[in-house]
Amino acid sequence: MRQRLLRIGASELKYEIRGIVEKAEKIKANGQEILWENIGDPIQKNCQVPEWMKDTIKDLLSQNDTYGYSHSKGVPETRKFLAEKTNRLNGVQITFEDILFFNGLGDAISKIYDYILPTSRIIGPSPAYSTHSSAEAAHANHEPITYKLDPKNNWYPDLDDLYNKIKYNPSIVGILIINPDNPTGMVYPETTLKKIVEIAQEFDLFLISDEIYQNITYNNSKVKTLAEVIGKVPGIAMKGISKEFPWPGARCGWTEFYNRGADADFNMLCQTLENAKMIEVCSTKLPQLAIPRIMLDERYPEFRISLNNKIGKRSDELTNLLGDIDEIYFNPTYGAFYNTIVFKEGVLNNHQTMEVQNEQNKLILDEWINQPSLEADSRFVYYLLAAKGVCVVPISSFCSDLQGFRVTLLEEDEVLFAETFKRIREGIIEYVGS
Ligand SMILES: Cc1ncc(COP(=O)(O)O)c(C=O)c1O
């Protein structure tokens, strides 16, 4: 090209959750059946959308108005419904004008960071859901700035680390919280959230809270939302239906702007996001129309409770299967539908193996593990794929220097779930003992 084409930040866009699929497909092509544990898509893991929910959507499809554009910020009745829901929490109060719809929360995530000055940074958790950390790093043309989630303390945020990083880095303008968390399955305690709000207040920062899993909690856990603890601090809550209904293919999520009036710059960020959506015209309309109809249906709460109970049961089963392995840090989960398993320091090395039966896959694996500067957890993950046919995601690809991997708690088929985690258990024991 006549001029350089890409900005430096472009190289920060990585998404191993889908990247690992390419590798798994190669293993599969040689006849190895694959148990997919890489992506948080309940539908892919055999979750059935109930017939009454499908009927609600069919009804909408028979109405002519469904086929037009919506208001650029989203369907007003749906935004009013959602604003009232938030206001009933008795925390921060909003109107429907504070709600903006996107084509999935992924769309909201990439837009939010895009319009912030590259030199102004948002600190996020590590490990992190990589859509956030990649988009933030791409906007800054620099690697992400992170605070630690601590596997030795239930994956709770290390608040001293967060405080010190913010204190000594004046470029930080905001804090990202993911609650319940992807990839750890942790639910932030209220006291932790309040401390994070205090830190934001002390340093004049705004907050972003990704709450896409807000209604997916189990085993006696409940989420405190940002709306309930934020007080007068400016903030953005991010919500969606991909996981909750679940309807990831709808590409529908929304942001709620809290305390817009508290800061002129923050208000301009909200306005800019609204303008960006206006230029695009609007977001997907059908799922927006469906939201109040589905959430107000009396069958909805019991449907969600039953799914949550099943995830909670699988979380317990995972604890039974992996909780006693000495070489890993294992934390039972309470929200979302993931678990991140971390190898203890010094456990992994470059000589460990698992037995691979298929000769062609042995050759492929050899090529993968001989790449220069391969992370130790990627090496384990490639072995697990080639030897046991289980596809998980290395935790080093979640913006973390820990060594481990993420699994999901989504498999609805009990036999398949037990088989998957039996193979993972055997894989860990064989690899670390080799
Ligand atoms: C924490 C978190 N935020 C956002 C998203 C993206 O959701 P959507 O399907 O609405 O783009 C995901 C998807 O896995 C997620 O885990």
Side-chain angles (χ1 to χ4, degrees), residues 122-140:
I122 311 292
I123 187 167
S126 167
Y129 174 58
S130 44
T131 297
H132 278 286
S133 51
S134 291
E136 202 282 333
H139 116 272

Side-chain angles (χ1 to χ4, degrees), residues 13-113:
L13 297 178
K14 298 176 201 115
Y15 198 61
E16 188 62 8
I17 296 169
R18 284 189 181 260
I20 192 78
V21 174
E22 264 178 49
K23 289 203 157 49
E25 295 289 358
K26 288 195 176 133
I27 296 291
K28 191 176 167 196
N30 293 329
Q32 168 75 59
E33 155 230 19
I34 303 289
L35 299 169
W36 298 99
E37 275 303 322
N38 58 308
I39 195 160
D41 178 352
I43 305 296
Q44 189 177 311
K45 302 300 279 184
N46 300 314
C47 177
Q48 286 302 312
V49 175
E51 287 308 314
W52 64 262
M53 222 188 253
K54 290 181 181 163
D55 288 342
T56 307
I57 294 160
K58 278 183 210 157
D59 272 356
L60 287 167
L61 283 173
S62 68
Q63 295 172 21
N64 210 53
D65 171 64
T66 303
Y67 296 84
Y69 290 125
S70 74
H71 186 288
S72 67
K73 286 167 71 168
V75 172
E77 294 71 35
T78 303
R79 289 188 289 134
K80 280 178 194 157
F81 166 77
L82 292 170
E84 274 164 27
K85 226 165 137 51
T86 294
N87 291 343
R88 278 200 299 276
L89 296 170
N90 290 325
V92 73
Q93 298 293 299
I94 55 172
T95 77
F96 79 112
E97 294 293 7
D98 297 313
I99 293 187
L100 177 60
F101 266 93
F102 289 86
N103 296 312
L105 214 43
D107 173 27
I109 292 170
S110 58
K111 287 205 172 65
I112 282 184
Y113 300 111

Side-chain angles (χ1 to χ4, degrees), residues 36-48 182 213 216 218 242-244 246 248 304 307-308 310-315 318 333 335-339 406-414 416-418 420-421:
W36 298 99
E37 275 303 322
N38 58 308
I39 195 160
D41 178 352
I43 305 296
Q44 189 177 311
K45 302 300 279 184
N46 300 314
C47 177
Q48 286 302 312
N182 177 5
Y213 299 100
I216 306 181
Y218 39 84
S242 289
K243 316 293 172 170
E244 195 181 311
R304 195 55 256 169
L307 284 187
N308 289 355
K310 284 203 258 178
I311 300 168
K313 197 168 149 252
R314 284 180 218 129
S315 173
L318 198 60
T333 59
F337 37 57
Y338 308 97
N339 193 315
R406 187 193 78 166
V407 296
T408 79
L409 299 172
L410 284 173
E411 183 52 68
E412 290 278 327
D413 182 322
E414 287 178 18
L416 220 49
F417 182 84
T420 305
F421 288 96

Side-chain angles (χ1 to χ4, degrees), residues 27-297:
I27 296 291
K28 191 176 167 196
N30 293 329
Q32 168 75 59
E33 155 230 19
I34 303 289
L35 299 169
W36 298 99
E37 275 303 322
N38 58 308
I39 195 160
D41 178 352
I43 305 296
Q44 189 177 311
K45 302 300 279 184
N46 300 314
C47 177
Q48 286 302 312
V49 175
E51 287 308 314
W52 64 262
M53 222 188 253
K54 290 181 181 163
D55 288 342
T56 307
I57 294 160
K58 278 183 210 157
D59 272 356
L60 287 167
L61 283 173
S62 68
Q63 295 172 21
N64 210 53
D65 171 64
T66 303
Y67 296 84
Y69 290 125
S70 74
H71 186 288
S72 67
K73 286 167 71 168
V75 172
E77 294 71 35
T78 303
R79 289 188 289 134
K80 280 178 194 157
F81 166 77
L82 292 170
E84 274 164 27
K85 226 165 137 51
T86 294
N87 291 343
R88 278 200 299 276
L89 296 170
N90 290 325
V92 73
Q93 298 293 299
I94 55 172
T95 77
F96 79 112
E97 294 293 7
D98 297 313
I99 293 187
L100 177 60
F101 266 93
F102 289 86
N103 296 312
L105 214 43
D107 173 27
I109 292 170
S110 58
K111 287 205 172 65
I112 282 184
Y113 300 111
D114 224 18
Y115 293 101
I116 295 173
L117 259 183
T119 47
S120 294
R121 305 298 306 273
I122 311 292
I123 187 167
S126 167
Y129 174 58
S130 44
T131 297
H132 278 286
S133 51
S134 291
E136 202 282 333
H139 116 272
N141 298 314
H142 218 278
E143 61 195 33
I145 302 177
T146 58
Y147 60 92
K148 284 189 202 122
L149 303 180
D150 186 359
K152 295 180 204 163
N153 181 28
N154 309 303
W155 284 118
Y156 292 159
D158 179 337
L159 291 171
D160 290 336
D161 184 44
L162 176 66
Y163 186 88
N164 286 322
K165 295 248 175 73
I166 290 171
K167 183 170 176 188
Y168 296 109
N169 187 345
S171 70
I172 295 174
V173 295
I175 307 170
L176 167 70
I177 302 163
I178 306 177
N179 183 34
D181 185 53
N182 177 5
T184 66
M186 165 268 296
V187 180
Y188 286 60
E190 185 177 0
T191 47
T192 304
L193 287 170
K194 285 190 167 158
K195 285 197 185 124
I196 295 176
V197 171
E198 273 169 30
I199 296 173
Q201 202 153 24
E202 180 178 340
F203 292 98
D204 203 12
L205 313 180
F206 78 100
L207 291 157
I208 301 175
S209 183
D210 183 330
E211 297 175 353
I212 196 164
Y213 299 100
Q214 64 171 340
N215 292 317
I216 306 181
T217 52
Y218 39 84
N219 296 351
N220 303 319
S221 176
K222 212 172 166 299
V223 165
K224 271 280 165 202
T225 59
L226 185 66
E228 293 166 276
V229 296
I230 194 164
K232 302 266 180 272
V233 174
I236 302 176
M238 309 183 89
K239 302 182 180 179
I241 58 169
S242 289
K243 316 293 172 170
E244 195 181 311
F245 273 15
W247 193 6
R251 310 312 302 128
C252 178
W254 67 95
T255 53
E256 300 181 0
F257 301 135
Y258 301 152
N259 301 316
R260 270 179 89 147
D263 183 277
D265 270 352
F266 177 71
N267 191 31
M268 272 309 292
L269 171 63
C270 303
Q271 180 69 56
T272 303
L273 292 168
E274 289 167 354
N275 294 347
K277 194 43 82 177
M278 216 183 294
I279 289 170
E280 218 185 287
V281 183
C282 66
S283 298
T284 46
K285 187 175 177 186
L286 172 65
Q288 291 179 40
L289 292 170
I291 285 172
R293 289 167 174 81
I294 289 174
M295 288 188 180
L296 285 171
D297 192 296

